[in-house]
Amino acid sequence: MFTNERRRGTGGSAMIEATSCGGVVIFRGKILLLYKNLKNKYDGWMFPKGTVEPGEDYEDTAIREVKEESGADARIVSYVGRSTYTFSIPQDVVDKEVHWYLMISDSYYSKPQKEEYFCDSGYYKYNEAYHLLKYPNERQILEKAYAQYLELKKRNMWGTHNM
């Protein structure tokens, strides 16, 4: 399931360590979100992210996953930070670490990846995006990323090629 997994622990269940990377993509001040609906079970709005493949660096993973999951062409502006969480799958517990990047896109184009159960996507104003996001750790990442965006914009550096 996770190509970069590492198992630890003893006993009946193992702890699987997995690393993903994703992006907070902004175009003209609006933030890209994806809506996932897994087999008619509400999953909610989130940022594009995915698992690091063998031999791939974190920045390449973030760019690839944004493109695969949303169809958006985006480039990295800066590193935002990381979030961690734990969830259970049958027989195992997954300890997940996600590295987040502030990214810029050149258009509002997005097309949700149906194979990953994304059924909607779009760019939203900050307050809308904040309230739509399902996970508190992603809201915290949005706060950090948007603060970086506003600082770059204030210094007339947002959207320049020398960011």
Side-chain angles (χ1 to χ4, degrees):
M1 178 173 187
F2 301 101
T3 57
N4 67 340
E5 70 182 43
R6 201 172 84 216
R7 293 181 178 273
R8 62 184 158 105
T10 57
S13 69
M15 176 70 79
I16 299 172
E17 293 178 342
T19 304
S20 289
C21 298
V24 179
V25 180
I26 297 180
F27 177 67
R28 294 188 179 165
K30 293 187 177 179
I31 299 111
L32 174 64
L33 296 181
L34 297 169
Y35 185 83
K36 183 176 264 193
N37 184 337
L38 182 58
K39 298 179 179 158
N40 294 320
K41 178 183 141 207
Y42 170 74
D43 222 354
W45 290 94
M46 59 194 60
F47 293 125
K49 68 177 180 301
T51 303
V52 178
E53 293 181 354
E56 190 175 47
D57 70 29
Y58 291 175
E59 290 185 352
D60 289 341
T61 299
I63 291 167
R64 177 182 55 76
E65 287 293 341
V66 165
K67 179 71 173 170
E68 285 177 5
E69 291 188 350
S70 73
D73 286 314
R75 68 182 190 277
I76 291 176
V77 174
S78 62
Y79 182 73
V80 176
R82 69 184 183 96
S83 57
T84 58
Y85 58 96
T86 302
F87 62 95
S88 296
I89 57 174
Q91 310 301 317
D92 288 316
V93 175
V94 178
D95 189 13
K96 185 120 177 182
E97 177 180 74
V98 184
H99 294 271
W100 295 101
Y101 294 88
L102 173 60
M103 301 172 78
I104 186 170
S105 180
D106 292 328
S107 78
Y108 284 123
Y109 176 80
S110 67
K111 181 181 179 188
Q113 185 183 28
K114 305 291 186 207
E115 298 82 9
E116 290 289 329
Y117 305 102
F118 292 112
C119 58
D120 198 2
S121 64
Y123 286 80
Y124 296 89
K125 293 178 183 175
Y126 175 82
N127 287 338
E128 295 170 326
Y130 186 88
H131 292 290
L132 283 172
L133 284 168
K134 179 177 181 183
Y135 302 108
N137 60 353
E138 290 195 13
R139 286 194 290 273
Q140 291 172 340
I141 291 298
L142 175 59
E143 288 174 351
K144 287 182 184 178
Y146 205 74
Q148 287 181 15
Y149 159 74
L150 290 175
E151 182 59 32
L152 287 166
K153 195 164 170 55
K154 186 170 90 178
R155 297 186 345 224
N156 290 319
M157 294 179 69
W158 181 256
T160 64
H161 289 288
N162 52 350
M163 283 188 288

